[in-house]
PDB file of all heavy atoms in Angstrom:
ATOM      1  N   MET E   1      30.560 -11.250  27.662  1.00 42.00           N
ATOM      2  CA  MET E   1      31.723 -10.607  27.045  1.00 42.00           C
ATOM      3  C   MET E   1      32.851 -10.476  28.069  1.00 42.00           C
ATOM      4  O   MET E   1      32.599 -10.119  29.216  1.00 42.00           O
ATOM      5  CB  MET E   1      31.308  -9.224  26.529  1.00 42.00           C
ATOM      6  CG  MET E   1      32.429  -8.510  25.815  1.00 42.00           C
ATOM      7  SD  MET E   1      31.881  -6.901  25.185  1.00 42.00           S
ATOM      8  CE  MET E   1      30.874  -7.413  23.804  1.00 42.00           C
ATOM      9  N   LYS E   2      34.075 -10.741  27.657  1.00 47.00           N
ATOM     10  CA  LYS E   2      35.189 -10.655  28.589  1.00 47.00           C
ATOM     11  C   LYS E   2      35.492  -9.190  28.895  1.00 47.00           C
ATOM     12  O   LYS E   2      35.425  -8.333  28.030  1.00 47.00           O
ATOM     13  CB  LYS E   2      36.431 -11.303  27.966  1.00 47.00           C
ATOM     14  CG  LYS E   2      36.300 -12.801  27.832  1.00 47.00           C
ATOM     15  CD  LYS E   2      37.618 -13.514  28.068  1.00 47.00           C
ATOM     16  CE  LYS E   2      38.754 -12.927  27.324  1.00 47.00           C
ATOM     17  NZ  LYS E   2      39.299 -13.728  26.254  1.00 47.00           N
ATOM     18  N   SER E   3      35.875  -8.918  30.155  1.00 44.00           N
ATOM     19  CA  SER E   3      36.120  -7.527  30.526  1.00 44.00           C
ATOM     20  C   SER E   3      37.296  -6.945  29.746  1.00 44.00           C
ATOM     21  O   SER E   3      37.396  -5.746  29.576  1.00 44.00           O
ATOM     22  CB  SER E   3      36.371  -7.420  32.022  1.00 44.00           C
ATOM     23  OG  SER E   3      37.494  -8.175  32.368  1.00 44.00           O
ATOM     24  N   THR E   4      38.212  -7.793  29.269  1.00 44.00           N
ATOM     25  CA  THR E   4      39.355  -7.273  28.518  1.00 44.00           C
ATOM     26  C   THR E   4      38.925  -6.671  27.189  1.00 44.00           C
ATOM     27  O   THR E   4      39.716  -6.009  26.534  1.00 44.00           O
ATOM     28  CB  THR E   4      40.381  -8.385  28.260  1.00 44.00           C
ATOM     29  OG1 THR E   4      39.685  -9.528  27.812  1.00 44.00           O
ATOM     30  CG2 THR E   4      41.179  -8.708  29.492  1.00 44.00           C
ATOM     31  N   MET E   5      37.699  -6.911  26.758  1.00 75.00           N
ATOM     32  CA  MET E   5      37.205  -6.287  25.534  1.00 75.00           C
ATOM     33  C   MET E   5      36.992  -4.780  25.757  1.00 75.00           C
ATOM     34  O   MET E   5      36.986  -4.024  24.825  1.00 75.00           O
ATOM     35  CB  MET E   5      35.874  -6.909  25.102  1.00 75.00           C
ATOM     36  CG  MET E   5      35.932  -8.396  24.855  1.00 75.00           C
ATOM     37  SD  MET E   5      36.799  -8.790  23.339  1.00 75.00           S
ATOM     38  CE  MET E   5      35.588  -8.300  22.137  1.00 75.00           C
ATOM     39  N   ARG E   6      36.763  -4.414  27.007  1.00 94.00           N
ATOM     40  CA  ARG E   6      36.566  -2.994  27.292  1.00 94.00           C
ATOM     41  C   ARG E   6      37.913  -2.299  27.413  1.00 94.00           C
ATOM     42  O   ARG E   6      38.914  -2.928  27.737  1.00 94.00           O
ATOM     43  CB  ARG E   6      35.851  -2.823  28.646  1.00 94.00           C
ATOM     44  CG  ARG E   6      34.421  -3.223  28.642  1.00 94.00           C
ATOM     45  CD  ARG E   6      33.793  -2.856  29.973  1.00 94.00           C
ATOM     46  NE  ARG E   6      34.232  -3.703  31.063  1.00 94.00           N
ATOM     47  CZ  ARG E   6      33.680  -4.855  31.372  1.00 94.00           C
ATOM     48  NH1 ARG E   6      32.666  -5.306  30.668  1.00 94.00           N
ATOM     49  NH2 ARG E   6      34.126  -5.563  32.385  1.00 94.00           N
ATOM     50  N   GLU E 207      24.671  -5.526  26.114  1.00 96.00           N
ATOM     51  CA  GLU E 207      25.774  -5.299  25.169  1.00 96.00           C
ATOM     52  C   GLU E 207      26.401  -3.922  25.406  1.00 96.00           C
ATOM     53  O   GLU E 207      27.632  -3.786  25.402  1.00 96.00           O
ATOM     54  CB  GLU E 207      25.214  -5.424  23.737  1.00 96.00           C
ATOM     55  CG  GLU E 207      26.267  -5.473  22.652  1.00 96.00           C
ATOM     56  CD  GLU E 207      26.455  -4.122  21.956  1.00 96.00           C
ATOM     57  OE1 GLU E 207      25.529  -3.292  21.979  1.00 96.00           O
ATOM     58  OE2 GLU E 207      27.540  -3.902  21.410  1.00 96.00           O
ATOM     59  N   ASP E 210      28.293  -3.881  28.788  1.00 97.00           N
ATOM     60  CA  ASP E 210      29.570  -4.602  28.717  1.00 97.00           C
ATOM     61  C   ASP E 210      30.660  -3.779  28.047  1.00 97.00           C
ATOM     62  O   ASP E 210      31.831  -4.143  28.096  1.00 97.00           O
ATOM     63  CB  ASP E 210      29.391  -5.920  27.959  1.00 97.00           C
ATOM     64  CG  ASP E 210      28.758  -6.985  28.834  1.00 97.00           C
ATOM     65  OD1 ASP E 210      28.852  -6.864  30.070  1.00 97.00           O
ATOM     66  OD2 ASP E 210      28.177  -7.934  28.289  1.00 97.00           O
ATOM     67  N   GLN E 211      30.281  -2.694  27.379  1.00 97.00           N
ATOM     68  CA  GLN E 211      31.297  -1.894  26.676  1.00 97.00           C
ATOM     69  C   GLN E 211      31.758  -0.669  27.442  1.00 97.00           C
ATOM     70  O   GLN E 211      32.772  -0.075  27.099  1.00 97.00           O
ATOM     71  CB  GLN E 211      30.722  -1.431  25.335  1.00 97.00           C
ATOM     72  CG  GLN E 211      30.767  -2.525  24.314  1.00 97.00           C
ATOM     73  CD  GLN E 211      30.445  -1.996  22.935  1.00 97.00           C
ATOM     74  OE1 GLN E 211      30.501  -0.796  22.682  1.00 97.00           O
ATOM     75  NE2 GLN E 211      30.110  -2.897  22.047  1.00 97.00           N
TER      76      GLN E 211
END
Side-chain angles (χ1 to χ4, degrees):
M1 183 178 286
K2 291 216 312 249
S3 61
T4 46
M5 302 287 286
R6 289 187 288 274
E207 191 260 337
D210 281 338
Q211 281 191 17

